[in-house]
Amino acid sequence: MIDRLIDPFGRTVDYLRVSVTDRCDFRCAYCMSEDMTFLPKAEVLSLEELERLCRGFIDLGVRKLRVTGGEPLVRRNVMWLFQQLGRHLDTGDLDELTLTTNGSQLSRYAADLFACGVRRINVSLDTLNADKFLAITRWGKFDRVMAGIDAAQEAGLAVKINAVALLDFNEDEFDRMIAWCGERGLDMTLIEAMPMGDVGQNRADQHLSLAEVRRNLEQTWTLQDSDYQTGGPASYVTVAETGRKLGFITPLSHNFCEACNRVRLTCTGTLFMCLGQNDAADLRAPLRASADDEVLRQAIHGAIARKPKGHDFIIDRNSTDPSVVRHMSVTGG
Ligand code: SAM
Ligand code: SF4
């Protein structure tokens, strides 16, 4: 019988998000500073170690895995990891293997991802304007991401667009993006900017309330309540005119913590039990201490026993200090 992961508040943890690298080929302004210092390669777990860690979680009842980063598809040989993880779909031990990506490498990898059992992916795209895209990602190539989305759809992957809602940047584009997603058969999620990591500007200057965005969208679109739930911070509606799902991720509100089903693993083997807290458990030491997976399983249980009830995000206009010191690219959202 599986010794499931149940936290002190009775929530079953069956969803693991794995950041396979902190590196990225973009420098999105809300995510990273321009001159990021990345982890020395020696500190990053090998793909074999990451695979063993994931297997440890699957043994303990994790049913869904999301690979993220940094940009996961820039990690060398990452398809090997997808192949290994995809085997758990074949055995029925895993329900879903998925990916969050900036889309820059999808033209190259979309078909391989499908072959590994991936069926749905999230692609981050904050604007449909190529100049603005370059401005916000600093290094990104818009046409390449568009080609990547084409390749993903051609390969049979369902694509959801993730857009961070940023004040004075893209609030005038959401109508167009919703229409575009409708035409292309894409779902979309709007994300409130979270105060994670020092990005060299006051977070209050980026913050756009999604409650306000939603009120504005309702002038143009019929947003029908949907009972679609993921156990995460998104609430979904169906856009009647397009038939597509539209999600609102409002991490600064607390209303999703009760149903939280997830933990986040970094590429150094650190487990964050809550996106909005600094507490973390080191799984690298137990992983390396013994070839016996029981040691690892005990360490995972010990970490889940520390999962907090909820997060403590605050955006303070008088301070530029982030309420969570790590950047989003450490855990991958
Ligand atoms: N590089 C991949 C990508 O961009 O999709 C995966 C990692 S990225 C950190 C995951 C998601 O986090 C992206 O959708 C990105 O827009 C979002 N993100 C990054 N920093 C954020 C922040 N401070 N607040 C809200 N969302 C953020
Ligand atoms: Fe890279 Fe994704 Fe962060 Fe943008 S949001 S810098 S693509 S990790």
Side-chain angles (χ1 to χ4, degrees), residues 93-115:
D93 292 333
L94 203 57
D95 293 331
E96 188 170 33
L97 174 61
T98 180
L99 163 78
T100 300
T101 174
N102 66 22
S104 69
Q105 313 296 317
L106 276 176
S107 299
R108 182 172 170 202
Y109 288 128
D112 293 343
L113 287 165
F114 190 89

Side-chain angles (χ1 to χ4, degrees), residues 24 30-31 68-72 100-102 124 126 162 164 191-194 196 203 328-329 332-333:
C24 187
Y30 49 81
C31 178
T68 176
E71 173 46 42
T100 300
T101 174
N102 66 22
S124 301
D126 305 318
N162 278 350
V164 179
I191 308 175
E192 229 164 54
M194 297 176 231
M196 296 187 68
R203 290 291 184 176
M328 184 69 101
S329 49

